[in-house]
């Protein structure tokens, strides 16, 4: 006699309990109906299609009127508001906050207030950071363009003051202001620097900013400079390239276009010696 094992019957899965089937945004309506209009809690729960027990707990203050999904945040809403104000203020001043700076600041706040830091690394992680950005949509993260201290110091008032000084103390006093009437004698030269260390990492700043974020850098790192010069009548001077070499490599000298200028400085930035040599070249061309 053989015993044939009976197939195990699969247990029927119980239907998952549905949570929060009501509209949280309309919770104020049943509460107003009960408190101000005298509607019974049972009638209000049925009319607005919300659990009666939920309505009772919210009316009694046992739970907040607006629920908060997910785990608790590391900081209180007031503390996060202070962080947001700090991030926006630093971005406007040219010192945007990096993600690591923000997480380190959160860690210091938790340690200073004797609260538990619930992360292996000792600071809040990616999930907290992403949640922080979602809770505060007025902040966004993007790459920043680095600005040297010299460029940061340039303002509209200083530029206008420089032109006024040139006109009053150099042209008018020397009786050379008639030059301004001849477009062939007016030149504009401007330099553009290409940093050899351009990456600044992503930073935080106001979401309302349509333009790029800018970040001041404390050190003047090496770069390649290009000087372009144009006259008011439309002529242009061949560009000048400035490299940070003690001696220009042969491959650069041989590959640069024949009529372009070459210069060198320790950092690759323009200096008075290079500018004077370029000015003498311009005079020789015209």
């Amino acid at each position: 006699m053989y015993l044939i094992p009976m197939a195990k019957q699969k247990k029927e899965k119980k239907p998952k309990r549905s949570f929060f089937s009501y509209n949280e945004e309309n919770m104020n309506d049943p509460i107003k109906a009960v408190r101000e209009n005298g509607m019974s809690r049972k009638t209000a729960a049925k009319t607005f299609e919300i659990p009666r027990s939920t309505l009772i707990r919210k009316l009694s203050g046992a739970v907040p009127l607006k629920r908060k999904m997910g785990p608790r945040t590391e900081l209180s809403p007031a503390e996060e508001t202070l962080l947001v104000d700090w991030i926006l203020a630093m971005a406007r001043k040219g010192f945007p906050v990096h993600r690591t700076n923000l997480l380190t600041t959160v860690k210091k706040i938790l340690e200073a207030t004797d609260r538990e830091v619930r992360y292996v690394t000792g600071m809040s992680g990616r999930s907290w950071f992403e949640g922080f950005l979602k809770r505060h949509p007025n902040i966004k993260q993007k790459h920043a363009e680095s600005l040297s201290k010299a460029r940061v110091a340039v303002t509209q008032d200083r530029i206008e003051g420089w032109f006024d000084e040139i006109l009053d103390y150099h042209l008018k006093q020397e009786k050379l202001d008639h030059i301004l009437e001849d477009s062939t004698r007016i030149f504009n030269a401007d330099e553009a620097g290409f940093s050899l260390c351009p990456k600044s990492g992503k930073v935080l700043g106001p979401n309302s900013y349509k333009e790029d974020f800018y970040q001041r850098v404390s050190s003047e790192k090496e770069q390649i400079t290009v000087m372009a010069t144009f006259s008011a009548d439309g002529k242009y001077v061949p560009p000048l390239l400035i490299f940070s070499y003690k001696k220009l490599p042969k491959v650069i000298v041989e590959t640069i276009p024949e009529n372009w200028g070459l210069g060198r400085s320790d950092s690759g930035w323009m200096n008075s010696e290079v500018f004077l040599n370029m000015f003498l070249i311009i005079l020789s061309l015209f």
Side-chain angles (χ1 to χ4, degrees), residues 19 29 52 54 85 103 149-150 170 179 224 239 251-252 261 283:
F19 293 90
D29 295 336
R52 183 181 176 187
T54 299
D85 293 341
L103 298 182
K149 291 184 291 184
H170 296 279
I179 293 176
I224 298 173
V251 63
I252 292 181
L283 291 179

Side-chain angles (χ1 to χ4, degrees), residues 37 39 61 109 119 121 153 194 252 257 269:
N37 302 334
M39 183 181 293
I109 294 175
Y119 295 90
T121 58
F194 298 89
I252 292 181
W269 290 70

Side-chain angles (χ1 to χ4, degrees), residues 157-170:
D157 291 340
R158 291 188 178 185
I159 293 176
E160 292 177 350
W162 184 86
F163 277 103
D164 291 339
E165 182 178 351
I166 291 295
L167 178 62
D168 294 334
Y169 298 102
H170 296 279

Side-chain angles (χ1 to χ4, degrees), residues 2-254:
Y2 296 93
L3 296 177
I4 301 175
M6 297 180 62
K8 293 183 179 180
Q9 296 181 352
K10 293 183 179 180
K11 294 183 179 180
E12 294 183 1
K13 293 184 178 180
K14 295 182 179 180
K16 292 184 179 180
R17 181 182 173 185
S18 60
F19 293 90
F20 307 120
S21 58
Y22 58 91
N23 189 347
E24 182 74 14
E25 300 299 327
N26 297 331
M27 181 55 69
N28 290 330
D29 295 336
I31 292 177
K32 182 178 179 181
V34 174
R35 289 178 175 174
E36 300 181 11
N37 302 334
M39 183 181 293
S40 68
R41 293 176 293 185
K42 181 178 180 180
T43 302
K46 185 176 181 180
T47 302
F48 294 96
E49 298 180 347
I50 62 173
R52 183 181 176 187
S53 58
T54 299
L55 179 59
I56 293 175
R57 289 197 299 272
K58 290 187 179 290
L59 286 168
S60 64
V63 294
L65 295 180
K66 187 175 182 181
R67 71 172 183 265
K68 189 173 184 181
M69 302 297 292
R72 65 178 176 85
T73 58
E74 299 297 321
L75 304 176
S76 66
E79 289 171 328
E80 288 201 356
T81 299
L82 291 176
L83 280 180
V84 170
D85 293 341
W86 169 60
I87 291 172
L88 297 179
M90 294 298 289
R92 295 188 182 100
K93 294 176 181 179
F95 298 97
V97 178
H98 287 259
R99 170 183 169 178
T100 303
N101 299 140
L102 174 62
L103 298 182
T104 302
T105 301
V106 172
K107 177 187 175 184
K108 290 181 179 180
I109 294 175
L110 296 176
E111 291 176 343
T113 53
D114 296 326
R115 278 178 282 181
E116 179 185 3
V117 182
R118 301 181 293 119
Y119 295 90
V120 177
T121 58
M123 64 174 63
S124 301
R126 184 179 66 179
S127 59
W128 180 91
F129 179 75
E130 292 176 350
F132 178 81
L133 293 182
K134 289 181 180 179
R135 291 191 294 274
H136 305 285
N138 56 328
I139 293 177
K140 66 179 177 180
Q141 185 185 30
K142 63 182 298 186
H143 288 284
E145 179 181 347
S146 297
L147 292 181
S148 66
K149 291 184 291 184
R151 288 184 63 188
V152 172
V154 175
T155 64
Q156 181 176 347
D157 291 340
R158 291 188 178 185
I159 293 176
E160 292 177 350
W162 184 86
F163 277 103
D164 291 339
E165 182 178 351
I166 291 295
L167 178 62
D168 294 334
Y169 298 102
H170 296 279
L171 296 180
K172 289 185 176 180
Q173 286 190 8
E174 299 295 331
K175 298 181 179 180
L176 296 174
D177 52 321
H178 62 278
I179 293 176
L180 300 178
E181 300 175 2
D182 186 354
S183 60
T184 63
R185 304 180 67 182
I186 302 174
F187 287 83
N188 181 33
D190 194 11
E191 57 182 327
F194 298 89
S195 175
L196 300 181
C197 301
K199 292 186 177 180
S200 61
K202 287 186 176 181
V203 295
L204 301 172
N207 192 29
S208 58
Y209 275 27
K210 302 301 181 182
E211 63 275 7
D212 293 333
F213 291 162
Y214 294 97
Q215 173 181 327
R216 303 182 188 183
V217 292
S218 58
S219 61
E220 307 278 341
K221 296 187 177 181
E222 291 184 352
Q223 70 168 21
I224 298 173
T225 300
V226 179
M227 172 67 78
T229 307
F230 300 85
S231 67
D233 67 336
K235 294 184 176 64
Y236 70 93
V237 177
L240 170 69
L241 303 183
I242 305 172
F243 294 89
S244 58
Y245 293 111
K246 297 294 183 182
K247 183 179 180 181
L248 291 174
K250 183 179 179 181
V251 63
I252 292 181
V253 176
E254 293 179 347

